[in-house]
Amino acid sequence: MTMDAPPSKIRKLDCTSVTKLEVHPILDPALTCETIASTSFQALNLVNKQVIGQIIGRLNELPESFQHLKRVGKDGSVLISETEESAKQIIIGLKNDDVRIEDLKTVSVPSKKPSTRRQFEVSKLLWSTSFHPNHEVEKLLDGSFLTDSLREYVIRYTQRVLEMSDGCIAVQSNSILSSGCPSTHPLGHPVMEMVRNLQKRTGSDYLGTGSDVFLVNEPCAMCSMALVHFRIKRLFYVRNSKNGVLKDDGWQLHLEPSINHHYEVFRVNLYDESGSNLDNVDSNSLCTLAE
């Protein structure tokens, strides 16, 4: 296997030379999507609104997949059933003169619970919907997660890993836990070498539980799975790799439901006052072995 030649020179970075820092979280498409799927539902438009509470008390709960919907819409319509036939049977069973089959109507409702505030804003235009925001996710979406302290932290260790040309650094409690560069070993990828160089620990703790990992190149499937077993908290990488499995339009292995640990992934871009990209991006880079 071969590896593209590393940049001949890496510019020294510090917090003053970096005028623009982009830290792009690689999230589940279900979170970044601003639209919401809809489906049809049968609702009852009661003429006598005073009996709404009485009617709701006699209805069964909505199916589990529709628990995110509020029973009564903004116009006072009451959700009855997914199908017209079952809705009619429910109305007949109520035996109430204020509830008539001819008052049934088909409405559009969000078919899934909104995951973000953006999705909630779209959902409520269809039908009144419950929503409990995940504040950490909202910070990732609006960029407020990138505090001044995190900015300096990312710059510091991104510079360190870039100085290694194609390196990998694990950071724990703001100190370097282990580092590694590609070797000619059959499994000598940067991540694997970082794990190999980690001092042996006693006890049952996972090697890098809660640590952050900084990489030049997006890791391949083998390295990404190694980071699952390493139990890292966050991964920051600089360049997309041809064989990487974390990028937005890739496999996104870190989001795979079947794995037993998940970590956050961020793509880092650094710029100086001239707008030049300080990471010398090489789109042909690989997560691979040394030549």
PDB file of all heavy atoms in Angstrom, residues 222-238:
ATOM      1  N   MET A 222     -11.176   0.198   9.681  1.00  0.00           N
ATOM      2  CA  MET A 222     -10.429  -0.480  10.742  1.00  0.00           C
ATOM      3  C   MET A 222     -10.104   0.493  11.879  1.00  0.00           C
ATOM      4  O   MET A 222     -10.325   0.195  13.060  1.00  0.00           O
ATOM      5  CB  MET A 222      -9.130  -1.075  10.185  1.00  0.00           C
ATOM      6  CG  MET A 222      -8.245  -1.708  11.247  1.00  0.00           C
ATOM      7  SD  MET A 222      -6.689  -2.371  10.586  1.00  0.00           S
ATOM      8  CE  MET A 222      -5.811  -0.843  10.204  1.00  0.00           C
ATOM      9  N   CYS A 223      -9.611   1.676  11.525  1.00  0.00           N
ATOM     10  CA  CYS A 223      -9.234   2.655  12.542  1.00  0.00           C
ATOM     11  C   CYS A 223     -10.462   3.215  13.263  1.00  0.00           C
ATOM     12  O   CYS A 223     -10.425   3.463  14.468  1.00  0.00           O
ATOM     13  CB  CYS A 223      -8.444   3.786  11.898  1.00  0.00           C
ATOM     14  SG  CYS A 223      -6.804   3.281  11.319  1.00  0.00           S
ATOM     15  N   SER A 224     -11.545   3.424  12.525  1.00  0.00           N
ATOM     16  CA  SER A 224     -12.773   3.936  13.140  1.00  0.00           C
ATOM     17  C   SER A 224     -13.321   2.959  14.164  1.00  0.00           C
ATOM     18  O   SER A 224     -13.807   3.359  15.232  1.00  0.00           O
ATOM     19  CB  SER A 224     -13.823   4.218  12.060  1.00  0.00           C
ATOM     20  OG  SER A 224     -13.377   5.222  11.170  1.00  0.00           O
ATOM     21  N   MET A 225     -13.250   1.662  13.861  1.00  0.00           N
ATOM     22  CA  MET A 225     -13.699   0.652  14.817  1.00  0.00           C
ATOM     23  C   MET A 225     -12.746   0.558  16.002  1.00  0.00           C
ATOM     24  O   MET A 225     -13.177   0.321  17.136  1.00  0.00           O
ATOM     25  CB  MET A 225     -13.827  -0.709  14.135  1.00  0.00           C
ATOM     26  CG  MET A 225     -15.111  -0.893  13.353  1.00  0.00           C
ATOM     27  SD  MET A 225     -16.610  -0.620  14.345  1.00  0.00           S
ATOM     28  CE  MET A 225     -16.408  -1.837  15.649  1.00  0.00           C
ATOM     29  N   ALA A 226     -11.463   0.771  15.766  1.00  0.00           N
ATOM     30  CA  ALA A 226     -10.507   0.775  16.872  1.00  0.00           C
ATOM     31  C   ALA A 226     -10.847   1.882  17.864  1.00  0.00           C
ATOM     32  O   ALA A 226     -10.730   1.714  19.077  1.00  0.00           O
ATOM     33  CB  ALA A 226      -9.087   0.958  16.342  1.00  0.00           C
ATOM     34  N   LEU A 227     -11.330   3.025  17.345  1.00  0.00           N
ATOM     35  CA  LEU A 227     -11.709   4.140  18.209  1.00  0.00           C
ATOM     36  C   LEU A 227     -12.990   3.842  18.978  1.00  0.00           C
ATOM     37  O   LEU A 227     -13.211   4.382  20.064  1.00  0.00           O
ATOM     38  CB  LEU A 227     -11.859   5.413  17.380  1.00  0.00           C
ATOM     39  CG  LEU A 227     -10.553   5.919  16.747  1.00  0.00           C
ATOM     40  CD1 LEU A 227     -10.829   7.116  15.840  1.00  0.00           C
ATOM     41  CD2 LEU A 227      -9.523   6.287  17.814  1.00  0.00           C
ATOM     42  N   VAL A 228     -13.840   2.990  18.421  1.00  0.00           N
ATOM     43  CA  VAL A 228     -15.020   2.519  19.160  1.00  0.00           C
ATOM     44  C   VAL A 228     -14.549   1.742  20.383  1.00  0.00           C
ATOM     45  O   VAL A 228     -15.003   1.983  21.513  1.00  0.00           O
ATOM     46  CB  VAL A 228     -15.922   1.630  18.272  1.00  0.00           C
ATOM     47  CG1 VAL A 228     -17.010   0.960  19.115  1.00  0.00           C
ATOM     48  CG2 VAL A 228     -16.550   2.448  17.158  1.00  0.00           C
ATOM     49  N   HIS A 229     -13.620   0.813  20.202  1.00  0.00           N
ATOM     50  CA  HIS A 229     -13.118   0.000  21.304  1.00  0.00           C
ATOM     51  C   HIS A 229     -12.271   0.833  22.270  1.00  0.00           C
ATOM     52  O   HIS A 229     -12.185   0.504  23.461  1.00  0.00           O
ATOM     53  CB  HIS A 229     -12.296  -1.165  20.759  1.00  0.00           C
ATOM     54  CG  HIS A 229     -13.086  -2.112  19.913  1.00  0.00           C
ATOM     55  ND1 HIS A 229     -14.197  -2.767  20.380  1.00  0.00           N
ATOM     56  CD2 HIS A 229     -12.945  -2.496  18.617  1.00  0.00           C
ATOM     57  CE1 HIS A 229     -14.712  -3.529  19.415  1.00  0.00           C
ATOM     58  NE2 HIS A 229     -13.966  -3.373  18.341  1.00  0.00           N
ATOM     59  N   PHE A 230     -11.688   1.906  21.760  1.00  0.00           N
ATOM     60  CA  PHE A 230     -10.878   2.809  22.574  1.00  0.00           C
ATOM     61  C   PHE A 230     -11.756   3.668  23.481  1.00  0.00           C
ATOM     62  O   PHE A 230     -11.296   4.271  24.438  1.00  0.00           O
ATOM     63  CB  PHE A 230     -10.049   3.699  21.638  1.00  0.00           C
ATOM     64  CG  PHE A 230      -8.819   4.300  22.260  1.00  0.00           C
ATOM     65  CD1 PHE A 230      -7.772   3.502  22.674  1.00  0.00           C
ATOM     66  CD2 PHE A 230      -8.696   5.677  22.409  1.00  0.00           C
ATOM     67  CE1 PHE A 230      -6.624   4.058  23.230  1.00  0.00           C
ATOM     68  CE2 PHE A 230      -7.559   6.242  22.962  1.00  0.00           C
ATOM     69  CZ  PHE A 230      -6.518   5.429  23.371  1.00  0.00           C
ATOM     70  N   ARG A 231     -13.042   3.740  23.142  1.00  0.00           N
ATOM     71  CA  ARG A 231     -14.056   4.458  23.921  1.00  0.00           C
ATOM     72  C   ARG A 231     -13.797   5.968  23.971  1.00  0.00           C
ATOM     73  O   ARG A 231     -13.919   6.604  25.014  1.00  0.00           O
ATOM     74  CB  ARG A 231     -14.145   3.918  25.354  1.00  0.00           C
ATOM     75  CG  ARG A 231     -14.694   2.491  25.453  1.00  0.00           C
ATOM     76  CD  ARG A 231     -16.127   2.446  24.950  1.00  0.00           C
ATOM     77  NE  ARG A 231     -16.812   1.209  25.294  1.00  0.00           N
ATOM     78  CZ  ARG A 231     -16.834   0.110  24.542  1.00  0.00           C
ATOM     79  NH1 ARG A 231     -16.194   0.099  23.382  1.00  0.00           N
ATOM     80  NH2 ARG A 231     -17.503  -0.969  24.928  1.00  0.00           N
ATOM     81  N   ILE A 232     -13.443   6.545  22.826  1.00  0.00           N
ATOM     82  CA  ILE A 232     -13.196   7.980  22.804  1.00  0.00           C
ATOM     83  C   ILE A 232     -14.511   8.750  22.894  1.00  0.00           C
ATOM     84  O   ILE A 232     -15.598   8.208  22.657  1.00  0.00           O
ATOM     85  CB  ILE A 232     -12.421   8.400  21.539  1.00  0.00           C
ATOM     86  CG1 ILE A 232     -13.315   8.323  20.282  1.00  0.00           C
ATOM     87  CG2 ILE A 232     -11.164   7.574  21.370  1.00  0.00           C
ATOM     88  CD1 ILE A 232     -12.715   8.996  19.074  1.00  0.00           C
ATOM     89  N   LYS A 233     -14.408  10.028  23.218  1.00  0.00           N
ATOM     90  CA  LYS A 233     -15.579  10.903  23.287  1.00  0.00           C
ATOM     91  C   LYS A 233     -15.773  11.661  21.982  1.00  0.00           C
ATOM     92  O   LYS A 233     -16.877  11.739  21.444  1.00  0.00           O
ATOM     93  CB  LYS A 233     -15.424  11.896  24.436  1.00  0.00           C
ATOM     94  CG  LYS A 233     -16.592  12.869  24.567  1.00  0.00           C
ATOM     95  CD  LYS A 233     -16.366  13.846  25.717  1.00  0.00           C
ATOM     96  CE  LYS A 233     -17.530  14.826  25.823  1.00  0.00           C
ATOM     97  NZ  LYS A 233     -17.300  15.816  26.934  1.00  0.00           N
ATOM     98  N   ARG A 234     -14.659  12.230  21.457  1.00  0.00           N
ATOM     99  CA  ARG A 234     -14.746  13.050  20.246  1.00  0.00           C
ATOM    100  C   ARG A 234     -13.554  12.772  19.345  1.00  0.00           C
ATOM    101  O   ARG A 234     -12.458  12.461  19.815  1.00  0.00           O
ATOM    102  CB  ARG A 234     -14.759  14.548  20.596  1.00  0.00           C
ATOM    103  CG  ARG A 234     -15.940  14.983  21.430  1.00  0.00           C
ATOM    104  CD  ARG A 234     -15.887  16.473  21.766  1.00  0.00           C
ATOM    105  NE  ARG A 234     -14.759  16.806  22.623  1.00  0.00           N
ATOM    106  CZ  ARG A 234     -14.628  17.972  23.274  1.00  0.00           C
ATOM    107  NH1 ARG A 234     -15.551  18.911  23.118  1.00  0.00           N
ATOM    108  NH2 ARG A 234     -13.587  18.197  24.050  1.00  0.00           N
ATOM    109  N   LEU A 235     -13.783  12.919  18.035  1.00  0.00           N
ATOM    110  CA  LEU A 235     -12.717  12.820  17.048  1.00  0.00           C
ATOM    111  C   LEU A 235     -12.704  14.095  16.217  1.00  0.00           C
ATOM    112  O   LEU A 235     -13.749  14.526  15.713  1.00  0.00           O
ATOM    113  CB  LEU A 235     -12.945  11.604  16.135  1.00  0.00           C
ATOM    114  CG  LEU A 235     -12.056  11.541  14.886  1.00  0.00           C
ATOM    115  CD1 LEU A 235     -10.604  11.310  15.285  1.00  0.00           C
ATOM    116  CD2 LEU A 235     -12.518  10.441  13.949  1.00  0.00           C
ATOM    117  N   PHE A 236     -11.533  14.690  16.073  1.00  0.00           N
ATOM    118  CA  PHE A 236     -11.342  15.862  15.224  1.00  0.00           C
ATOM    119  C   PHE A 236     -10.351  15.476  14.120  1.00  0.00           C
ATOM    120  O   PHE A 236      -9.236  15.044  14.422  1.00  0.00           O
ATOM    121  CB  PHE A 236     -10.779  17.037  16.018  1.00  0.00           C
ATOM    122  CG  PHE A 236     -11.666  17.504  17.146  1.00  0.00           C
ATOM    123  CD1 PHE A 236     -11.567  16.919  18.416  1.00  0.00           C
ATOM    124  CD2 PHE A 236     -12.578  18.523  16.965  1.00  0.00           C
ATOM    125  CE1 PHE A 236     -12.378  17.345  19.460  1.00  0.00           C
ATOM    126  CE2 PHE A 236     -13.399  18.952  17.996  1.00  0.00           C
ATOM    127  CZ  PHE A 236     -13.288  18.364  19.247  1.00  0.00           C
ATOM    128  N   TYR A 237     -10.747  15.627  12.865  1.00  0.00           N
ATOM    129  CA  TYR A 237      -9.814  15.314  11.782  1.00  0.00           C
ATOM    130  C   TYR A 237      -9.798  16.453  10.768  1.00  0.00           C
ATOM    131  O   TYR A 237     -10.727  17.264  10.687  1.00  0.00           O
ATOM    132  CB  TYR A 237     -10.154  13.975  11.115  1.00  0.00           C
ATOM    133  CG  TYR A 237     -11.331  13.989  10.171  1.00  0.00           C
ATOM    134  CD1 TYR A 237     -11.157  14.284   8.825  1.00  0.00           C
ATOM    135  CD2 TYR A 237     -12.621  13.684  10.616  1.00  0.00           C
ATOM    136  CE1 TYR A 237     -12.236  14.288   7.942  1.00  0.00           C
ATOM    137  CE2 TYR A 237     -13.695  13.686   9.753  1.00  0.00           C
ATOM    138  CZ  TYR A 237     -13.497  13.989   8.414  1.00  0.00           C
ATOM    139  OH  TYR A 237     -14.556  14.004   7.550  1.00  0.00           O
ATOM    140  N   VAL A 238      -8.713  16.521   9.973  1.00  0.00           N
ATOM    141  CA  VAL A 238      -8.477  17.661   9.090  1.00  0.00           C
ATOM    142  C   VAL A 238      -8.883  17.387   7.650  1.00  0.00           C
ATOM    143  O   VAL A 238      -9.521  18.222   7.015  1.00  0.00           O
ATOM    144  CB  VAL A 238      -6.987  18.084   9.148  1.00  0.00           C
ATOM    145  CG1 VAL A 238      -6.702  19.246   8.199  1.00  0.00           C
ATOM    146  CG2 VAL A 238      -6.612  18.461  10.590  1.00  0.00           C
TER     147      VAL A 238
END
